Amino acid sequence: MIYWYSLETYTFMPRKHLHQHWISLSLLTLVGGAFVPQLSVIAQPNSAEGIRISMAFEPPAGEGMPSRTAGGGSRGQCPNVAQGINPPLMALVPAFSTQPNSKQTDIKGLTVAATPTFFFYVPPIPATKAAFSLKDQNNNDIYQTNVAISDQQGIVSIEIPKDTPPLKVGQTYRWSFGVICSAENTTEPKVVFVTGEIKRTEPDASLKAKLQQAKPLEQAKIYAENGIWFESLTTLAKLRQTQPTDSNLTQEWKQLLESVGLETIANQPFVNTLDH
């Protein structure tokens, strides 16, 4: 299925007014009809010095090994992207092939959080604004926000506010992240975006017990080996941001991203900081 998204409430104006009239980027499906889901506690950080853990991600049951070699990049009209900028705009989410040897991928992952955190790599695109959208399986808005981005390339995090309607266990949601490019010689803004799915799951009693007894770095490993991508990534990201000089954490982060084909952005800096 192919998806295309547009500016729902953006009024096209003369170029000199474009940067003064950012409203909201609602990433709506124009091709493919209504959204159809594809069925398919973090403790306070502490030092990870001396701790070496295998942080490889184990896909959920029924999924093959994720890889970006089969696709999973961004789509859109930004001039820099059209020129083949590499790596492009990417979500820090596994990309699973829809069929063996297929170049089509589903970018998706599991979460146990009612209000999860998302991460995106933003390449050096001339842009200052981006937007994030989260919708339920009936295409109803759950959360939308505008995001200020700088010219510096790096990883952007988006935390869903605690007062947002919580994700329901067993349901799949679609998210989209788009960047407005500052294109030259045009009266209309250009958009590059990436979209995918997130599904909330409920850990069983055994898994909950393991997490409660584990330190943060061990929690990240437990999440990863149980196919729960979003909490593994978020836990490790928070540790890295509180301990940026810890070489062990740098290696664990690199290993986690490499295990899902995201090695090209494993060394990118964080553009914004997560709340702790």
Side-chain angles (χ1 to χ4, degrees):
M1 182 178 292
I2 301 174
Y3 292 90
W4 185 253
Y5 298 85
S6 68
L7 300 173
E8 182 184 39
T9 56
Y10 193 98
T11 303
F12 296 126
M13 307 185 72
R15 189 181 311 161
K16 66 180 181 179
H17 293 148
L18 284 176
H19 297 294
Q20 302 173 8
H21 292 270
W22 171 263
I23 305 178
S24 84
L25 178 62
S26 179
L27 301 166
L28 300 176
T29 302
L30 294 185
V31 179
F35 167 68
V36 178
Q38 310 228 346
L39 298 179
S40 18
V41 208
I42 300 175
Q44 292 299 313
N46 62 348
S47 175
E49 285 294 341
I51 301 176
R52 295 304 300 272
I53 291 177
S54 176
M55 199 60 67
F57 178 72
E58 294 291 336
E63 299 286 0
M65 287 302 298
S67 174
R68 276 307 194 279
T69 59
S74 54
R75 293 166 284 175
Q77 305 173 354
C78 287
N80 286 39
V81 174
Q83 294 168 10
I85 190 169
N86 189 40
L89 175 72
M90 299 177 74
L92 274 66
V93 181
F96 298 94
S97 296
T98 55
Q99 296 178 358
N101 301 320
S102 172
K103 292 185 177 180
Q104 294 184 342
T105 58
D106 291 330
I107 304 176
K108 59 185 178 180
L110 296 178
T111 183
V112 298
T115 53
T117 299
F118 296 79
F119 294 83
F120 302 93
Y121 164 71
V122 179
I125 299 173
T128 59
K129 296 290 184 180
F132 175 82
S133 173
L134 179 65
K135 297 177 179 292
D136 66 15
Q137 57 191 6
N138 294 317
N139 211 35
N140 298 314
D141 291 330
I142 300 298
Y143 178 68
Q144 292 186 9
T145 187
N146 295 331
V147 183
I149 58 175
S150 65
D151 291 333
Q152 178 186 6
Q153 69 187 87
I155 296 172
V156 174
S157 60
I158 298 176
E159 296 182 83
I160 305 300
K162 300 302 182 183
D163 58 357
T164 302
L167 272 60
K168 297 179 180 179
V169 174
Q171 290 197 12
T172 301
Y173 299 77
R174 177 161 288 275
W175 50 263
S176 298
F177 179 79
V179 175
I180 296 292
C181 304
S182 304
E184 296 294 334
N185 302 320
T186 180
T187 58
E188 297 183 359
K190 301 297 183 180
V191 182
V192 62
F193 67 92
V194 63
T195 185
E197 297 175 359
I198 183 171
K199 181 178 181 180
R200 187 179 178 191
T201 186
E202 180 72 25
D204 59 27
S206 176
L207 180 54
K208 287 181 179 178
K210 290 181 180 179
L211 291 168
Q212 291 174 352
Q213 297 170 6
K215 295 181 178 180
L217 185 58
E218 295 167 331
Q219 289 179 348
K221 175 185 181 297
I222 293 170
Y223 282 126
E225 67 186 11
N226 283 274
I228 302 173
W229 172 257
F230 281 88
E231 277 62 57
S232 180
L233 186 73
T234 302
T235 304
L236 200 51
K238 288 189 175 184
L239 285 172
R240 284 206 67 206
Q241 291 187 8
T242 56
Q243 303 171 56
T245 61
D246 190 318
S247 60
N248 286 340
L249 288 175
T250 300
Q251 289 302 314
E252 306 293 2
W253 174 263
K254 183 178 180 181
Q255 184 180 30
L256 180 63
L257 295 188
E258 286 179 345
S259 69
V260 296
L262 290 170
E263 59 274 3
T264 57
I265 58 174
N267 294 322
Q268 293 296 331
F270 292 96
V271 175
N272 59 346
T273 303
L274 288 167
D275 294 333
H276 301 290

